[in-house]
Amino acid sequence: MPSLPVVFSGIQPSGAPHLGNYLGAIRPWVVEQAESRNYFCIVDLHALTVERDPAQLADQTRELAAVYWACGIDPAHSTVFVQSHVAAHAELGWLLTCLTPMGWLERMTQFKEKARGEQAERVGAGLFTYPALMAADILLYRTELVPVGEDQRQHLELARDLAQRFNHRYGETFVVPQPRIGHLGAGSRVMGLDDPTTKMSKTGGQEAGCILLLDPPDLIRRKVLRAQTDSGREVAVEVAGPGVANLVDIWRAVTGASREDAGRCFDGRGYGELKRRVADALLEVLAPIQDRALALLRDRAELDRRLADGAAVAQPVAAGTLARARRRLGLLSLPGG
Ligand code: TYM
């Protein structure tokens, strides 16, 4: 039997998970999980690149785990674990940081965007070196495919470059991973509802434009009904401006419909009707997810047990790859280790 390809991906517990995380990442993971051996990580070390309230970080880590399972991540195919439970991430992160030229990091547009407006001396160094840690996450599991949203493309390129650089300098060690972006059609770049020219995100303070997966249903409906549309009155899918295009994209991603289906459903209809249909479709998908997530969150001990099981599966795999990289670099191992 041919072995299944390894998939790795992760989300930061840096805020409540939102619709962009679901449509760009979690949903594609769930849809395709039976075709691969998957590691879905809650990347808490990445969340430390900016100052966090400790109690909130702990809550958000559990909440994200509950949401992964509530969305349909299946333990039969997929290991869910917390990054900081597997120490190899931090260690390989350092080894790869040493291999990363400053110039590669300086090109990262996400760093430039996040650091904009801050005084350069105040931005944490972790925010700058973070792509090397992300590369470590991926490379530890001999990952072949990394399903992510469009905004992670550049970081993935860097992970590939680092794998190749290491292999070239020290001998074949890492698998060079492939990005998997937008292959389901729509949803790889969900835009803010209040400003469809910027991506929907948990940072940036654009509450009204960001649908959180655990928002109460009436709030979700309100946010969608208030979404910015374009000047004009009627939908024309093929020539829609950014606001309408974003709503159509969300509808397509949630329902699995094609562009042609969207044209047939909405062309010539008013924006109000489009919004109502988007809200209905979202609530239909999110209601059962919310029920399951809230049920899981009620039993914290069970949640923590499941995360410990995930770490126990991930740990030896990561340790094996790390040991190989250490040997290649000439780091001594302890006698008997
Ligand atoms: P993060 O936590 O910002 O986002 C997690 C996932 O959600 C996707 N995403 C979106 N997709 C569509 N539209 C949006 N508006 C939107 N916003 C977020 C992201 O593309 C991502 O897939 N660096 C990563 C986390 C990470 C990681 C990894 C990912 C750390 N190590 C290893 C993959 C593999 C991040 O900050 O994602």
Side-chain angles (χ1 to χ4, degrees):
M1 204 176 79
S3 63
L4 294 174
V6 177
V7 162
F8 182 97
S9 198
I11 300 180
Q12 296 193 38
S14 54
H18 58 75
L19 187 63
N21 299 138
Y22 178 65
L23 296 180
I26 305 175
R27 189 172 163 275
W29 303 349
V30 170
V31 170
E32 295 185 315
Q33 65 184 329
E35 292 147 42
S36 39
R37 171 78 197 87
N38 314 282
Y39 296 89
F40 296 127
C41 190
I42 295 147
V43 288
D44 55 348
L45 297 174
H46 285 275
L48 296 177
T49 51
V50 300
E51 192 180 343
R52 305 251 164 236
D53 175 72
Q56 211 174 37
L57 179 62
D59 286 348
Q60 285 167 354
T61 301
R62 289 196 181 92
E63 183 178 308
L64 190 51
V67 163
Y68 279 12
W69 286 308
C71 288
I73 299 292
D74 178 354
H77 302 293
S78 307
T79 297
V80 170
F81 70 103
V82 175
Q83 182 188 29
S84 68
H85 287 168
V86 179
H89 287 253
E91 187 171 343
L92 185 63
W94 172 252
L95 304 182
L96 294 181
T97 299
C98 296
L99 197 74
T100 312
M102 294 279 281
W104 290 9
L105 297 172
E106 276 160 3
R107 280 203 292 276
M108 295 294 114
T109 52
Q110 203 168 69
F111 171 74
K112 288 191 239 173
E113 278 164 21
K114 286 194 174 170
R116 191 178 299 144
E118 306 273 339
Q119 283 173 295
E121 317 81 77
R122 286 169 156 268
V123 175
L127 200 60
F128 185 62
T129 59
Y130 143 121
L133 178 60
M134 174 160 164
D137 301 338
I138 296 166
L139 301 184
L140 279 173
Y141 298 90
R142 310 189 59 72
T143 302
E144 289 158 80
L145 297 171
V146 188
V148 284
E150 187 60 52
D151 61 336
Q152 296 299 317
R153 190 181 286 282
Q154 205 184 21
H155 291 154
L156 276 176
E157 271 310 309
L158 194 137
R160 287 170 57 82
D161 290 346
L162 276 175
Q164 277 159 349
R165 192 179 177 91
F166 191 106
N167 289 348
H168 183 71
R169 275 199 192 164
Y170 303 104
E172 249 353 87
T173 307
F174 295 123
V175 172
V176 181
Q178 301 279 349
R180 204 150 161 75
I181 300 173
H183 55 288
L184 294 184
S188 65
R189 190 167 176 78
V190 180
M191 308 306 281
L193 294 180
D194 57 342
D195 176 5
T197 62
T198 60
K199 75 167 179 177
M200 184 178 285
S201 107
K202 49 200 157 195
T203 48
Q206 36 168 348
E207 286 265 308
C210 183
I211 292 187
L212 304 182
L213 298 180
L214 301 185
D215 269 345
D218 55 330
L219 181 59
I220 293 180
R221 190 174 287 282
R222 252 197 331 270
K223 285 180 177 177
V224 174
L225 295 182
R226 284 198 198 135
Q228 201 193 100
T229 41
D230 312 316
S231 59
R233 290 236 179 101
E234 284 177 2
V235 179
V237 167
E238 285 307 324
V239 292
V244 170
N246 190 37
L247 288 169
V248 168
D249 233 40
I250 291 173
W251 182 80
R252 283 186 49 210
V254 173
T255 59
S258 65
R259 281 185 82 75
E260 293 70 39
D261 293 335
R264 272 192 295 277
C265 271
F266 297 119
D267 279 349
R269 305 294 175 108
Y271 294 159
E273 181 172 345
L274 170 65
K275 288 176 174 177
R276 278 192 297 280
R277 295 280 300 274
V278 170
D280 290 345
L282 273 176
L283 291 178
E284 196 177 317
V285 169
L286 294 183
I289 292 176
Q290 295 193 343
D291 290 346
R292 287 193 290 267
L294 296 178
L296 284 161
L297 282 167
R298 274 196 285 276
D299 191 349
R300 229 160 95 159
E302 167 65 12
L303 210 61
D304 289 355
R305 246 190 320 273
R306 284 195 188 201
L307 288 172
D309 289 349
V313 174
Q315 205 281 333
V317 181
T321 312
L322 176 65
R324 223 167 138 190
R326 288 179 51 105
R327 269 197 307 276
R328 294 283 198 202
L329 288 165
L331 297 170
L332 297 185
S333 47
L334 284 168

